[in-house]
Structures are given as structure tokens and as C-alpha cells.
Amino acid sequence: MDIKDTARPLDGADLSAFLRSLPAKPLLLGLGEARHFVEELGELRNEIFRHLVEQEGYRSFAIESDCLRSLLVDDYVTTGTGTLDDVMERGFSHGFGASPANRELVRWMRAYNEEHDEKLRFFGFDGPLEYWAESPRQALTALHALLDGPLPCTVVTRETLDSLLGPDDRWSNEATAMDPSQSIGRSADAQRLRLIADDLVALLDTQAPGLSVEDREAAALYGRTATGLLRYHYWMADASPARWTRLSALRDAMMAANLRAVAEHGPALVFASNLHLQRNKTFMPFGDQQLEWWSAGAITATYLGDRYAFLASALGTAGDDTPPPDTVEGILSTLPWDHALIDARRLAEAIPKPAPRVSHDFAYFPLDPAQLDTIDGVVFLKEAVRLGRLG
């Protein structure tokens, strides 16, 4: 099979044709990043999303960013609350607010909503996490506030909640990333907060008919974030060798829960690392360990089936890193287009034994040739020169 028979130039018409070739119309279309902070990929993503909105009826965008901070961005794009500068500074985690492509996306979504009655929505689907975790204060107090007014809340007083939470910096201590003894996740206060969070979520479930749709949606977000954060903090205090495998799995499980909520507003384009959106297990070297866990995409696909689709991205030459000609990326670099959309399963048949690519850029995760048949498509950029820094 000629490699060109598996590929097409990446434009709107070909993207629509590719989507129609899938077994079902996706509720969630994942677009993976082979590397964070590649501006060319961000710009291409913006073009893809505009086409999906204008031609395919997509109304939501989700990104690998803090699900609570993103509420500021969603409020801005839907109602115009705040300023673009402010939401780019405070509405993103992981430094993603500094990306010019992300800024242009938010600006475009706001402009679109000013002219249309049916509004576009913006979601972050990561937890409030880096390698450490933020305080559960925002999620817990917001959930408590939603339930304490309209519902007969007898779970806990706000004063008790504040006392148990204490100063936020004892939770968001970056030293806990490598030193579990610094974590308060298994303290008596944290253990009691886990029970309180569970009781608040149970109260929401019993009283949901008395809340508006908007309050139910917000309370569900706060509830799963509070319980997820407290669970994550608990395992931050674990000193066993399984610590980082468990933490990585918990993070992706939180992502998957948020993605299922986004799917209720679908169809949506989801943008995150290939490692989080892939259907197979994620493997990552970590010190002298090899971590292994199910990705958010794998969990989501378990629930959505064919309504979840995944396009992995891959880069040819990235900065000064050029792929060897016998790797997947090297072979795709022979295509005549700067941007291409490849049928991954047909590609797996066309090049049955490509060599794995080894990149000297620690931030770039090459395609795993053995997993091509678990991917719906590959978005390939022949060259990327504007590579931002991580952290």
C-alpha cells in the first residue's frame, strides 16, 4: 500500500469526510498533543475547532487545564464577564494561559458567542493538580455554599469546614511531590474532610430535584473535584513504591470523570497530551520505575464506546530534532503536505514494522508504532519550529 493512500491533506472538507468514515459521530473528539507548547499545533487546532463549530455542530471545547480555573474562561466566553487578559492569567493551569494560540481561541469563542444565541462552552478537564495538589477549599466551600441555601444542609457548618481546612499552603506544598512525609493527606483533619465531602455529595444526590440545572452541574463538578482532590492528597502521603502509579491513575480517573460531564454538552473537541487521550495504557519512566496506568481516554472510551474518537498528533522535524527515516514520523515526513490527516489503522497495515523514534527532547512523546491500530487518525505536522518551554 502506498503511504499516500492512507493520508489526505488536513483541511475542512477532508476532516469532515474522515469524521463521516468513523463508526459513529463522536460525542468527544480527542486531539492529542505529542508535545505541549507547540504553537503550530495550537494554531492548527484552532482551525479544526472553527470548522467543527461552523460545519459539524460542535459547541464545546475542553483542554488539559484546571477544571475550576476554567470556570472563569467559560464565564468570559459565554457572558463576557471579566477581560481577556484576566482570564488568560487566572483561568488556566500548567502555564497554558501564556500560549498565543490559546489566547486566540478564547478570543474567537467570545466573538462567536456575541453573534450567536447558541453559545460555545469552554471546559478544563484536569484536576487542580501539578505534581502536587491544590487545597480542596474552593471545591468544598463552593459545594457547601450551593447546598447550604436551598437544601437542608446538616452535614457541617462553614466554620467547622474552615477550621478543618486550615491554611491553604499546608495542602499546596510543592515539597509533597517528592516527600510523602510532607503531605497532610492522611491527617485526622483530612480524613474527616473526606467523610464530609462524601456526605455532601450524597446530599446533592438526594436533593438534586430541588436545584436548577446550572446549580446541579456546578455542584457535581465541585463534588467530584473535592472527593478527587482529597483522595489524591491521601495517596500523596503514601510512601510505598506504588505511590506514583496510584497518583497517575487517580489523576486520569479525575480527567475521565470530567470528560464524561463534558460529553453531556457534546459534541466537543478535547485537547490534551496524547498520553492522556490514547485508548491504551500509558507507560512512563519515572526515576528507576516504569509507571503503568490506564489513560483518561481509555477510561472514557470504555463508557462512550464509538462515541469517543482519538486523533493523535505527531511531529516531523521539531526544532532541531529530525526523525530517522524508518520511524513512523520519518515515513510520514515524505508526504507532500505540511499538515496531513492519516487513517491510523490503514497506516499500521502499510508500515507493519517501523522503528520506534527516540527523541532527545524530553517533552516530546513519539508515536508508539505498536499502538497505531488503537488510534483513529494521526494529525501530522511536517515541521514545528515554535516550541515553547515547559514549566
Side-chain angles (χ1 to χ4, degrees):
M1 183 187 300
D2 190 319
I3 189 69
K4 286 200 292 186
D5 294 337
T6 73
R8 63 192 81 192
L10 182 50
D11 57 29
D14 283 307
L15 176 60
S16 289
F18 182 82
L19 292 177
R20 287 193 293 272
S21 75
L22 297 174
K25 182 176 181 179
L27 277 173
L28 297 179
L29 175 61
L31 174 59
E33 293 179 277
R35 186 194 193 278
H36 287 317
F37 299 105
V38 177
E39 278 303 299
E40 290 93 344
L41 180 59
E43 292 165 358
L44 185 59
R45 172 210 64 193
N46 291 353
E47 294 178 18
I48 290 171
F49 184 60
R50 284 194 291 268
H51 174 79
L52 293 173
V53 168
E54 294 169 350
Q55 303 299 325
E56 299 295 332
Y58 280 57
R59 290 295 176 267
S60 297
F61 176 84
I63 190 172
E64 181 189 336
S65 185
D66 183 333
C67 57
L68 299 185
R69 291 193 193 189
S70 71
L71 295 173
L72 294 172
V73 187
D74 186 54
D75 201 19
Y76 174 76
V77 301
T78 55
T79 70
T81 300
T83 66
L84 181 57
D85 285 343
D86 184 56
V87 299
M88 297 310 298
E89 180 179 351
R90 299 195 299 124
F92 290 84
S93 58
H94 314 321
F96 292 151
S99 162
N102 286 344
R103 184 184 183 89
E104 173 56 24
L105 175 71
V106 173
R107 186 207 64 76
W108 181 83
M109 291 179 70
R110 176 62 203 143
Y112 180 95
N113 282 343
E114 287 178 336
E115 298 179 358
H116 296 82
D117 293 332
E118 189 177 5
K119 305 303 183 188
L120 304 180
R121 296 290 304 275
F122 184 99
F123 298 96
F125 69 94
D126 200 356
L129 308 168
E130 297 285 347
Y131 284 107
W132 60 97
E134 298 293 342
S135 167
R137 176 183 302 280
Q138 181 183 356
L140 273 174
T141 56
L143 177 61
H144 183 271
L146 279 171
L147 302 184
D148 197 41
L151 304 184
C153 182
T154 58
V155 173
V156 67
T157 65
R158 175 59 187 265
E159 291 73 22
T160 299
L161 199 56
D162 284 336
S163 176
L164 291 170
L165 285 164
D168 286 346
D169 58 7
R170 69 177 188 154
W171 296 93
S172 54
N173 176 7
E174 296 183 20
T176 59
M178 302 310 298
D179 183 359
S181 69
Q182 297 282 330
S183 172
I184 64 166
R186 297 188 178 184
S187 65
D189 286 352
Q191 300 275 37
R192 187 174 173 194
L193 285 168
R194 288 187 76 181
L195 293 174
I196 289 169
D198 182 71
D199 279 341
L200 286 171
V201 171
L203 180 63
L204 169 62
D205 288 340
T206 64
Q207 301 296 323
L211 293 173
S212 68
V213 172
E214 292 77 12
D215 282 351
R216 285 200 305 273
E217 181 182 320
L221 170 63
Y222 293 133
R224 62 179 178 269
T225 304
T227 55
L229 271 176
L230 287 163
R231 188 179 300 116
Y232 193 92
H233 277 288
Y234 178 87
W235 287 100
M236 286 288 286
D238 179 49
S240 79
R243 179 179 187 246
W244 273 108
T245 292
R246 180 63 62 90
L247 289 172
S248 300
L250 288 174
R251 180 187 179 194
D252 271 64
M254 290 177 68
M255 288 183 172
N258 285 329
L259 285 177
R260 293 198 295 274
V262 171
E264 296 178 5
H265 300 271
L269 179 67
V270 181
F271 189 68
S273 169
N274 284 338
L275 298 184
H276 290 305
L277 297 184
Q278 63 192 11
R279 286 191 179 90
N280 52 290
K281 275 189 173 180
T282 296
F283 298 89
M284 179 181 291
F286 188 82
D288 58 355
Q289 292 182 280
Q290 175 79 354
L291 306 184
E292 175 183 341
W293 72 96
W294 286 110
S295 68
I299 299 169
T300 302
T302 300
Y303 289 93
L304 295 185
D306 288 340
R307 303 306 301 275
Y308 176 75
F310 171 47
L311 303 177
S313 73
L315 308 178
T317 298
D320 59 356
D321 186 7
T322 300
D326 58 346
T327 62
V328 175
E329 290 92 334
I331 294 168
L332 292 179
S333 294
T334 65
L335 291 169
W337 313 293
D338 291 336
H339 304 150
L341 178 60
I342 297 96
D343 184 319
R345 291 177 174 85
R346 296 187 69 202
L347 180 66
E349 297 173 1
I351 49 171
K353 293 183 179 180
R357 180 180 185 179
V358 178
S359 174
H360 62 70
D361 180 357
F362 78 94
Y364 180 73
F365 293 91
L367 285 176
D368 181 353
Q371 300 298 334
L372 284 177
D373 60 355
T374 69
I375 300 169
D376 293 299
V378 176
V379 170
F380 182 70
L381 283 71
K382 183 176 291 190
E383 185 175 19
V385 296
R386 286 174 289 153
L387 306 179
R389 297 175 59 186
L390 300 180

